[in-house]
Amino acid sequence: MTQSALSHQLRELEGRLGFKVFHRTRYKWELTEEGVALYTLANNVLSVIEKGFEAIEEIKTGSKGIIKISTECYSFYHNIPKFIQKIGVLYPEIDVELILEATHQPITKLISHDIDIALVTSVPINDLLCSKKLFEDEIFAVMHKEHSLSQEPYLQPTHFANIHLIIHSFPLETVSVYEHFLKSNQIMPQKISAIPLTEVSLEMINANMGVMCMPKWALQSLKISKDIVLKKIGRQGLKRTHYLVIREQDRNKKYISDFVLNFEEDFSDF
């Protein structure tokens, strides 16, 4: 650019700004006080723009993002917080949120993009989703050692007809022992109470006031009385398989794949 063209553009700039940017002599240009402030502002703006494009690129390549997760069963939440803490250390660029209000309907919420990962016990039939098998567990009946059924080698469906069953929440279709053991045998417990706090349920069981059904791993972090016993449900045991489900379109996002790989590693030995 020639000196005359540069001078012309500078005069146009100063006219639009309403102040002088440079003190100009034939051999020297110096920023005015307003020019210094403008130069500082320009550098700050350019820095913000650069950081903004870097953030966009990270999102575009999938190395950074927010993961919202929910399950179909409240018992699974017992071990997730510790895993989220680990992810926060290993991958500080990944934010993980537990969406409790999506519990019992995680697949619907996954399809509607309200959550990003669902933990379920059956594979959803949907081409938009991708499922990964995590582990198999077994549900046991948890009761006091003086309960009338505590001496049984295992519980049959008819045994549940006369007990007080403690569940975490309704509807019953989300309770594994009902959906996979009692429903097909047309058995309804004599009394059912929904208690959202496992610790409170254990206190009731310790007082021989009812029975609840849970996998052993969900009880590992809780203080269990020596008077509480676990009984097998059915001759072969009540077993279920857990799956992690994501949207097919997200499977190649780096922050999603990093989360899934670590989740599989942590929960495959349950």
Side-chain angles (χ1 to χ4, degrees), residues 123-177:
V123 178
I125 308 301
N126 192 310
D127 292 338
L128 298 176
L129 305 177
C130 173
S131 304
K132 291 180 177 290
K133 182 178 178 180
L134 291 176
F135 64 92
E136 182 181 84
D137 66 3
E138 182 176 352
I139 297 175
F140 292 86
V142 185
M143 64 183 67
H144 193 274
K145 66 180 183 181
E146 294 181 0
H147 192 278
S148 59
L149 297 175
S150 64
Q151 300 305 312
E152 297 289 338
Y154 59 88
L155 300 190
Q156 301 179 34
T158 53
H159 285 139
F160 284 82
N162 299 311
I163 70 170
H164 175 199
L165 180 64
I166 300 173
I167 63 175
H168 192 280
S169 63
F170 288 101
L172 275 178
E173 285 70 24
T174 63
V175 180
S176 294
V177 69

Short mmCIF file of all heavy atoms in Angstrom, two decimals, residues 123-177:
data_model
loop_
_atom_site.label_atom_id
_atom_site.label_comp_id
_atom_site.label_asym_id
_atom_site.label_seq_id
_atom_site.Cartn_x
_atom_site.Cartn_y
_atom_site.Cartn_z
N VAL A 123 -32.19 -53.70 25.50
CA VAL A 123 -31.69 -52.99 24.32
C VAL A 123 -32.85 -52.34 23.57
O VAL A 123 -33.77 -53.03 23.13
CB VAL A 123 -30.94 -53.95 23.38
CG1 VAL A 123 -30.46 -53.21 22.14
CG2 VAL A 123 -29.76 -54.58 24.10
N PRO A 124 -32.83 -51.02 23.40
CA PRO A 124 -33.90 -50.36 22.65
C PRO A 124 -33.78 -50.65 21.16
O PRO A 124 -32.68 -50.70 20.61
CB PRO A 124 -33.67 -48.87 22.94
CG PRO A 124 -32.21 -48.77 23.25
CD PRO A 124 -31.84 -50.06 23.94
N ILE A 125 -34.90 -50.88 20.51
CA ILE A 125 -34.92 -51.14 19.06
C ILE A 125 -35.14 -49.81 18.35
O ILE A 125 -36.28 -49.35 18.18
CB ILE A 125 -36.01 -52.15 18.68
CG1 ILE A 125 -35.90 -53.41 19.55
CG2 ILE A 125 -35.92 -52.50 17.20
CD1 ILE A 125 -34.56 -54.11 19.44
N ASN A 126 -34.05 -49.18 17.98
CA ASN A 126 -34.14 -47.87 17.32
C ASN A 126 -32.84 -47.63 16.55
O ASN A 126 -31.76 -47.67 17.13
CB ASN A 126 -34.37 -46.77 18.38
CG ASN A 126 -34.75 -45.44 17.75
OD1 ASN A 126 -34.10 -44.96 16.84
ND2 ASN A 126 -35.82 -44.84 18.24
N ASP A 127 -32.96 -47.36 15.27
CA ASP A 127 -31.77 -47.16 14.42
C ASP A 127 -31.00 -45.89 14.78
O ASP A 127 -29.84 -45.73 14.38
CB ASP A 127 -32.17 -47.09 12.95
CG ASP A 127 -32.70 -48.42 12.42
OD1 ASP A 127 -32.36 -49.45 13.04
OD2 ASP A 127 -33.43 -48.42 11.43
N LEU A 128 -31.62 -45.01 15.54
CA LEU A 128 -30.96 -43.76 15.93
C LEU A 128 -30.05 -43.94 17.13
O LEU A 128 -29.29 -43.03 17.47
CB LEU A 128 -32.01 -42.68 16.25
CG LEU A 128 -32.94 -42.26 15.11
CD1 LEU A 128 -33.98 -41.26 15.61
CD2 LEU A 128 -32.14 -41.66 13.95
N LEU A 129 -30.12 -45.13 17.76
CA LEU A 129 -29.40 -45.37 19.00
C LEU A 129 -28.36 -46.47 18.85
O LEU A 129 -28.48 -47.35 18.00
CB LEU A 129 -30.38 -45.73 20.12
CG LEU A 129 -31.50 -44.72 20.39
CD1 LEU A 129 -32.44 -45.24 21.46
CD2 LEU A 129 -30.94 -43.36 20.77
N CYS A 130 -27.35 -46.41 19.71
CA CYS A 130 -26.27 -47.40 19.74
C CYS A 130 -26.14 -47.92 21.17
O CYS A 130 -26.03 -47.12 22.11
CB CYS A 130 -24.98 -46.75 19.26
SG CYS A 130 -23.52 -47.78 19.42
N SER A 131 -26.15 -49.23 21.36
CA SER A 131 -26.10 -49.83 22.70
C SER A 131 -24.82 -50.61 22.93
O SER A 131 -24.31 -51.26 22.02
CB SER A 131 -27.30 -50.77 22.90
OG SER A 131 -28.52 -50.11 22.69
N LYS A 132 -24.31 -50.54 24.17
CA LYS A 132 -23.13 -51.29 24.57
C LYS A 132 -23.45 -52.08 25.84
O LYS A 132 -23.93 -51.51 26.82
CB LYS A 132 -21.95 -50.34 24.82
CG LYS A 132 -21.41 -49.66 23.57
CD LYS A 132 -20.25 -48.75 23.92
CE LYS A 132 -19.66 -48.12 22.66
NZ LYS A 132 -18.94 -49.13 21.85
N LYS A 133 -23.16 -53.38 25.82
CA LYS A 133 -23.39 -54.20 27.00
C LYS A 133 -22.35 -53.88 28.06
O LYS A 133 -21.15 -53.83 27.78
CB LYS A 133 -23.31 -55.68 26.63
CG LYS A 133 -23.59 -56.62 27.78
CD LYS A 133 -23.54 -58.07 27.32
CE LYS A 133 -23.77 -59.03 28.48
NZ LYS A 133 -23.72 -60.44 28.05
N LEU A 134 -22.80 -53.66 29.30
CA LEU A 134 -21.89 -53.33 30.40
C LEU A 134 -21.61 -54.54 31.28
O LEU A 134 -20.50 -55.03 31.37
CB LEU A 134 -22.48 -52.19 31.24
CG LEU A 134 -22.54 -50.81 30.59
CD1 LEU A 134 -23.23 -49.82 31.51
CD2 LEU A 134 -21.15 -50.31 30.23
N PHE A 135 -22.64 -55.04 31.96
CA PHE A 135 -22.43 -56.15 32.89
C PHE A 135 -23.77 -56.79 33.23
O PHE A 135 -24.84 -56.23 32.97
CB PHE A 135 -21.74 -55.68 34.18
CG PHE A 135 -22.56 -54.70 34.98
CD1 PHE A 135 -23.43 -55.13 35.98
CD2 PHE A 135 -22.46 -53.33 34.74
CE1 PHE A 135 -24.18 -54.23 36.72
CE2 PHE A 135 -23.20 -52.42 35.48
CZ PHE A 135 -24.06 -52.87 36.45
N GLU A 136 -23.70 -57.96 33.82
CA GLU A 136 -24.89 -58.65 34.32
C GLU A 136 -24.83 -58.65 35.84
O GLU A 136 -23.76 -58.85 36.43
CB GLU A 136 -24.93 -60.09 33.80
CG GLU A 136 -26.18 -60.85 34.24
CD GLU A 136 -26.20 -62.29 33.75
OE1 GLU A 136 -25.57 -63.15 34.43
OE2 GLU A 136 -26.81 -62.55 32.69
N ASP A 137 -25.96 -58.40 36.47
CA ASP A 137 -26.00 -58.49 37.93
C ASP A 137 -27.20 -59.34 38.36
O ASP A 137 -27.97 -59.81 37.53
CB ASP A 137 -26.03 -57.10 38.58
CG ASP A 137 -27.30 -56.33 38.28
OD1 ASP A 137 -28.20 -56.89 37.61
OD2 ASP A 137 -27.42 -55.17 38.70
N GLU A 138 -27.29 -59.56 39.65
CA GLU A 138 -28.39 -60.36 40.19
C GLU A 138 -29.05 -59.59 41.32
O GLU A 138 -28.38 -58.99 42.17
CB GLU A 138 -27.87 -61.70 40.70
CG GLU A 138 -28.98 -62.60 41.25
CD GLU A 138 -28.47 -63.97 41.68
OE1 GLU A 138 -27.30 -64.28 41.40
OE2 GLU A 138 -29.26 -64.74 42.28
N ILE A 139 -30.36 -59.61 41.32
CA ILE A 139 -31.14 -58.91 42.36
C ILE A 139 -31.49 -59.90 43.46
O ILE A 139 -31.92 -61.03 43.19
CB ILE A 139 -32.41 -58.30 41.76
CG1 ILE A 139 -32.03 -57.25 40.71
CG2 ILE A 139 -33.27 -57.67 42.84
CD1 ILE A 139 -33.22 -56.67 39.98
N PHE A 140 -31.30 -59.47 44.70
CA PHE A 140 -31.61 -60.30 45.87
C PHE A 140 -32.70 -59.64 46.72
O PHE A 140 -32.86 -58.41 46.69
CB PHE A 140 -30.36 -60.49 46.73
CG PHE A 140 -29.29 -61.33 46.10
CD1 PHE A 140 -28.36 -60.77 45.25
CD2 PHE A 140 -29.23 -62.70 46.35
CE1 PHE A 140 -27.37 -61.53 44.65
CE2 PHE A 140 -28.24 -63.48 45.75
CZ PHE A 140 -27.31 -62.90 44.91
N ALA A 141 -33.40 -60.45 47.46
CA ALA A 141 -34.37 -59.94 48.44
C ALA A 141 -33.60 -59.66 49.72
O ALA A 141 -32.89 -60.52 50.25
CB ALA A 141 -35.47 -60.97 48.69
N VAL A 142 -33.72 -58.43 50.20
CA VAL A 142 -33.01 -57.99 51.41
C VAL A 142 -34.01 -57.98 52.56
O VAL A 142 -35.04 -57.30 52.50
CB VAL A 142 -32.41 -56.58 51.21
CG1 VAL A 142 -31.58 -56.18 52.42
CG2 VAL A 142 -31.58 -56.53 49.93
N MET A 143 -33.71 -58.75 53.62
CA MET A 143 -34.67 -58.87 54.73
C MET A 143 -33.95 -59.08 56.06
O MET A 143 -32.73 -59.36 56.10
CB MET A 143 -35.62 -60.05 54.48
CG MET A 143 -34.93 -61.41 54.44
SD MET A 143 -36.07 -62.77 54.06
CE MET A 143 -36.50 -62.39 52.36
N HIS A 144 -34.69 -58.96 57.14
CA HIS A 144 -34.14 -59.23 58.48
C HIS A 144 -34.02 -60.74 58.68
O HIS A 144 -34.81 -61.52 58.13
CB HIS A 144 -35.05 -58.62 59.55
CG HIS A 144 -34.43 -58.57 60.91
ND1 HIS A 144 -34.48 -59.63 61.79
CD2 HIS A 144 -33.73 -57.59 61.53
CE1 HIS A 144 -33.84 -59.30 62.90
NE2 HIS A 144 -33.37 -58.06 62.77
N LYS A 145 -33.03 -61.14 59.47
CA LYS A 145 -32.80 -62.57 59.67
C LYS A 145 -33.96 -63.26 60.38
O LYS A 145 -34.09 -64.49 60.33
CB LYS A 145 -31.51 -62.79 60.46
CG LYS A 145 -31.54 -62.27 61.89
CD LYS A 145 -30.21 -62.53 62.59
CE LYS A 145 -30.24 -62.09 64.06
NZ LYS A 145 -28.94 -62.32 64.73
N GLU A 146 -34.83 -62.47 61.05
CA GLU A 146 -35.99 -63.06 61.73
C GLU A 146 -37.25 -63.00 60.88
O GLU A 146 -38.34 -63.36 61.34
CB GLU A 146 -36.21 -62.35 63.07
CG GLU A 146 -35.08 -62.58 64.06
CD GLU A 146 -35.33 -61.89 65.39
OE1 GLU A 146 -36.39 -61.24 65.53
OE2 GLU A 146 -34.46 -62.00 66.29
N HIS A 147 -37.12 -62.56 59.65
CA HIS A 147 -38.29 -62.53 58.76
C HIS A 147 -38.76 -63.96 58.50
O HIS A 147 -37.96 -64.90 58.48
CB HIS A 147 -37.92 -61.84 57.44
CG HIS A 147 -39.11 -61.50 56.59
ND1 HIS A 147 -39.73 -62.42 55.77
CD2 HIS A 147 -39.80 -60.34 56.44
CE1 HIS A 147 -40.74 -61.84 55.15
NE2 HIS A 147 -40.80 -60.57 55.53
N SER A 148 -40.05 -64.12 58.29
CA SER A 148 -40.63 -65.46 58.10
C SER A 148 -40.07 -66.20 56.89
O SER A 148 -40.14 -67.43 56.81
CB SER A 148 -42.15 -65.35 57.97
OG SER A 148 -42.49 -64.52 56.87
N LEU A 149 -39.49 -65.46 55.94
CA LEU A 149 -38.95 -66.11 54.73
C LEU A 149 -37.43 -66.28 54.77
O LEU A 149 -36.84 -66.79 53.81
CB LEU A 149 -39.31 -65.26 53.49
CG LEU A 149 -40.81 -65.12 53.19
CD1 LEU A 149 -41.00 -64.15 52.02
CD2 LEU A 149 -41.44 -66.46 52.88
N SER A 150 -36.81 -65.89 55.84
CA SER A 150 -35.34 -65.88 55.89
C SER A 150 -34.73 -67.28 55.84
O SER A 150 -33.54 -67.43 55.53
CB SER A 150 -34.85 -65.16 57.15
OG SER A 150 -35.26 -65.86 58.32
N GLN A 151 -35.50 -68.31 56.14
CA GLN A 151 -34.96 -69.67 56.13
C GLN A 151 -35.20 -70.39 54.79
O GLN A 151 -34.74 -71.51 54.61
CB GLN A 151 -35.59 -70.49 57.26
CG GLN A 151 -35.35 -69.92 58.66
CD GLN A 151 -33.87 -69.72 58.95
OE1 GLN A 151 -33.06 -70.61 58.70
NE2 GLN A 151 -33.52 -68.55 59.46
N GLU A 152 -35.89 -69.72 53.88
CA GLU A 152 -36.14 -70.33 52.58
C GLU A 152 -34.84 -70.35 51.76
O GLU A 152 -34.06 -69.40 51.80
CB GLU A 152 -37.20 -69.53 51.81
CG GLU A 152 -38.57 -69.51 52.46
CD GLU A 152 -39.26 -70.86 52.38
OE1 GLU A 152 -38.90 -71.67 51.49
OE2 GLU A 152 -40.15 -71.10 53.21
N PRO A 153 -34.58 -71.43 50.99
CA PRO A 153 -33.37 -71.48 50.17
C PRO A 153 -33.40 -70.41 49.07
O PRO A 153 -32.36 -69.89 48.67
CB PRO A 153 -33.39 -72.90 49.59
CG PRO A 153 -34.83 -73.33 49.67
CD PRO A 153 -35.37 -72.67 50.90
N TYR A 154 -34.59 -70.12 48.57
CA TYR A 154 -34.79 -69.04 47.60
C TYR A 154 -36.27 -68.67 47.63
O TYR A 154 -37.12 -69.43 48.12
CB TYR A 154 -34.37 -69.47 46.19
CG TYR A 154 -35.12 -70.67 45.64
CD1 TYR A 154 -36.32 -70.52 44.95
CD2 TYR A 154 -34.61 -71.95 45.83
CE1 TYR A 154 -37.01 -71.61 44.47
CE2 TYR A 154 -35.30 -73.05 45.34
CZ TYR A 154 -36.49 -72.88 44.67
OH TYR A 154 -37.18 -73.97 44.20
N LEU A 155 -36.59 -67.48 47.11
CA LEU A 155 -37.97 -67.03 47.14
C LEU A 155 -38.69 -67.36 45.84
O LEU A 155 -38.17 -67.14 44.75
CB LEU A 155 -38.03 -65.51 47.39
CG LEU A 155 -37.41 -64.99 48.69
CD1 LEU A 155 -37.77 -63.52 48.89
CD2 LEU A 155 -37.84 -65.82 49.89
N GLN A 156 -39.90 -67.88 45.99
CA GLN A 156 -40.78 -68.13 44.85
C GLN A 156 -41.74 -66.96 44.71
O GLN A 156 -41.93 -66.18 45.66
CB GLN A 156 -41.54 -69.43 45.07
CG GLN A 156 -40.64 -70.65 45.25
CD GLN A 156 -41.45 -71.90 45.49
OE1 GLN A 156 -42.55 -72.06 44.95
NE2 GLN A 156 -40.91 -72.82 46.28
N PRO A 157 -42.38 -66.82 43.54
CA PRO A 157 -43.32 -65.71 43.36
C PRO A 157 -44.40 -65.65 44.44
O PRO A 157 -44.76 -64.57 44.91
CB PRO A 157 -43.93 -65.99 41.97
CG PRO A 157 -42.85 -66.72 41.24
CD PRO A 157 -42.19 -67.58 42.28
N THR A 158 -44.93 -66.82 44.83
CA THR A 158 -46.00 -66.83 45.82
C THR A 158 -45.56 -66.30 47.18
O THR A 158 -46.39 -65.84 47.97
CB THR A 158 -46.55 -68.27 45.99
OG1 THR A 158 -45.44 -69.15 46.28
CG2 THR A 158 -47.25 -68.73 44.73
N HIS A 159 -44.26 -66.36 47.47
CA HIS A 159 -43.76 -65.84 48.74
C HIS A 159 -44.01 -64.34 48.87
O HIS A 159 -44.13 -63.81 49.98
CB HIS A 159 -42.26 -66.12 48.89
CG HIS A 159 -41.93 -67.53 49.21
ND1 HIS A 159 -40.88 -68.22 48.64
CD2 HIS A 159 -42.55 -68.43 50.04
CE1 HIS A 159 -40.84 -69.44 49.11
NE2 HIS A 159 -41.83 -69.60 49.97
N PHE A 160 -44.05 -63.65 47.73
CA PHE A 160 -44.20 -62.20 47.76
C PHE A 160 -45.65 -61.75 48.02
O PHE A 160 -45.90 -60.58 48.29
CB PHE A 160 -43.72 -61.58 46.44
CG PHE A 160 -42.23 -61.52 46.31
CD1 PHE A 160 -41.49 -62.63 45.91
CD2 PHE A 160 -41.53 -60.35 46.61
CE1 PHE A 160 -40.11 -62.59 45.79
CE2 PHE A 160 -40.14 -60.29 46.50
CZ PHE A 160 -39.43 -61.41 46.10
N ALA A 161 -46.58 -62.69 47.93
CA ALA A 161 -47.99 -62.31 48.07
C ALA A 161 -48.32 -61.79 49.46
O ALA A 161 -49.26 -60.99 49.62
CB ALA A 161 -48.88 -63.51 47.73
N ASN A 162 -47.56 -62.21 50.47
CA ASN A 162 -47.90 -61.84 51.84
C ASN A 162 -46.85 -60.95 52.50
O ASN A 162 -46.79 -60.89 53.73
CB ASN A 162 -48.09 -63.12 52.68
CG ASN A 162 -49.23 -63.97 52.16
OD1 ASN A 162 -50.32 -63.47 51.91
ND2 ASN A 162 -48.97 -65.26 51.98
N ILE A 163 -46.02 -60.29 51.71
CA ILE A 163 -44.98 -59.46 52.32
C ILE A 163 -45.24 -57.97 52.08
O ILE A 163 -46.06 -57.58 51.24
CB ILE A 163 -43.58 -59.81 51.77
CG1 ILE A 163 -43.44 -59.37 50.30
CG2 ILE A 163 -43.27 -61.27 51.93
CD1 ILE A 163 -42.02 -59.45 49.78
N HIS A 164 -44.54 -57.16 52.84
CA HIS A 164 -44.52 -55.71 52.64
C HIS A 164 -43.29 -55.42 51.78
O HIS A 164 -42.16 -55.51 52.25
CB HIS A 164 -44.43 -55.00 53.99
CG HIS A 164 -44.28 -53.51 53.87
ND1 HIS A 164 -43.81 -52.73 54.91
CD2 HIS A 164 -44.53 -52.65 52.83
CE1 HIS A 164 -43.77 -51.46 54.50
NE2 HIS A 164 -44.21 -51.39 53.26
N LEU A 165 -43.51 -55.07 50.52
CA LEU A 165 -42.41 -54.82 49.60
C LEU A 165 -42.07 -53.33 49.59
O LEU A 165 -42.92 -52.48 49.34
CB LEU A 165 -42.78 -55.27 48.18
CG LEU A 165 -41.70 -55.06 47.10
CD1 LEU A 165 -40.46 -55.90 47.41
CD2 LEU A 165 -42.26 -55.38 45.72
N ILE A 166 -40.80 -53.04 49.85
CA ILE A 166 -40.32 -51.65 49.84
C ILE A 166 -39.61 -51.40 48.51
O ILE A 166 -38.66 -52.10 48.17
CB ILE A 166 -39.36 -51.39 51.02
CG1 ILE A 166 -40.07 -51.65 52.34
CG2 ILE A 166 -38.84 -49.95 50.98
CD1 ILE A 166 -39.15 -51.60 53.55
N ILE A 167 -40.10 -50.42 47.76
CA ILE A 167 -39.48 -50.06 46.49
C ILE A 167 -38.98 -48.63 46.56
O ILE A 167 -39.29 -47.90 47.50
CB ILE A 167 -40.48 -50.22 45.31
CG1 ILE A 167 -41.66 -49.26 45.48
CG2 ILE A 167 -40.95 -51.67 45.22
CD1 ILE A 167 -42.63 -49.27 44.31
N HIS A 168 -38.22 -48.24 45.56
CA HIS A 168 -37.70 -46.87 45.57
C HIS A 168 -38.73 -45.88 45.09
O HIS A 168 -38.89 -44.80 45.65
CB HIS A 168 -36.44 -46.76 44.69
CG HIS A 168 -35.68 -45.49 44.88
ND1 HIS A 168 -36.06 -44.32 44.28
CD2 HIS A 168 -34.58 -45.20 45.63
CE1 HIS A 168 -35.22 -43.35 44.64
NE2 HIS A 168 -34.32 -43.86 45.44
N SER A 169 -39.48 -46.26 44.04
CA SER A 169 -40.49 -45.35 43.50
C SER A 169 -41.42 -46.09 42.56
O SER A 169 -41.10 -47.17 42.07
CB SER A 169 -39.82 -44.18 42.74
OG SER A 169 -39.09 -44.66 41.63
N PHE A 170 -42.58 -45.52 42.33
CA PHE A 170 -43.52 -46.02 41.33
C PHE A 170 -43.17 -45.38 39.98
O PHE A 170 -42.43 -44.40 39.94
CB PHE A 170 -44.95 -45.67 41.76
CG PHE A 170 -45.46 -46.48 42.93
CD1 PHE A 170 -45.48 -45.92 44.21
CD2 PHE A 170 -45.90 -47.78 42.76
CE1 PHE A 170 -45.95 -46.65 45.30
CE2 PHE A 170 -46.37 -48.51 43.84
CZ PHE A 170 -46.39 -47.95 45.11
N PRO A 171 -43.64 -45.94 38.85
CA PRO A 171 -44.60 -47.04 38.71
C PRO A 171 -43.96 -48.40 38.87
O PRO A 171 -42.74 -48.55 38.75
CB PRO A 171 -45.12 -46.84 37.28
CG PRO A 171 -43.96 -46.23 36.56
CD PRO A 171 -43.31 -45.31 37.55
N LEU A 172 -44.78 -49.41 39.13
CA LEU A 172 -44.29 -50.76 39.37
C LEU A 172 -43.57 -51.34 38.16
O LEU A 172 -42.69 -52.20 38.30
CB LEU A 172 -45.45 -51.68 39.75
CG LEU A 172 -45.87 -51.68 41.24
CD1 LEU A 172 -47.06 -52.59 41.43
CD2 LEU A 172 -44.71 -52.09 42.13
N GLU A 173 -43.93 -50.88 36.95
CA GLU A 173 -43.30 -51.39 35.74
C GLU A 173 -41.80 -51.09 35.68
O GLU A 173 -41.06 -51.69 34.91
CB GLU A 173 -43.99 -50.80 34.50
CG GLU A 173 -45.34 -51.39 34.19
CD GLU A 173 -46.41 -50.99 35.21
OE1 GLU A 173 -46.25 -49.93 35.86
OE2 GLU A 173 -47.39 -51.73 35.35
N THR A 174 -41.35 -50.15 36.53
CA THR A 174 -39.92 -49.83 36.57
C THR A 174 -39.20 -50.58 37.68
O THR A 174 -38.00 -50.40 37.87
CB THR A 174 -39.73 -48.31 36.78
OG1 THR A 174 -40.27 -47.93 38.07
CG2 THR A 174 -40.44 -47.51 35.71
N VAL A 175 -39.92 -51.42 38.41
CA VAL A 175 -39.35 -52.21 39.51
C VAL A 175 -39.04 -53.62 38.97
O VAL A 175 -39.95 -54.36 38.59
CB VAL A 175 -40.31 -52.29 40.70
CG1 VAL A 175 -39.70 -53.13 41.83
CG2 VAL A 175 -40.65 -50.89 41.20
N SER A 176 -37.77 -53.97 38.93
CA SER A 176 -37.34 -55.22 38.28
C SER A 176 -38.01 -56.46 38.84
O SER A 176 -38.44 -57.34 38.08
CB SER A 176 -35.82 -55.36 38.38
OG SER A 176 -35.17 -54.36 37.64
N VAL A 177 -38.13 -56.57 40.16
CA VAL A 177 -38.69 -57.79 40.75
C VAL A 177 -40.16 -57.95 40.36
O VAL A 177 -40.65 -59.08 40.19
CB VAL A 177 -38.53 -57.79 42.29
CG1 VAL A 177 -39.42 -56.72 42.94
CG2 VAL A 177 -38.84 -59.17 42.86
#
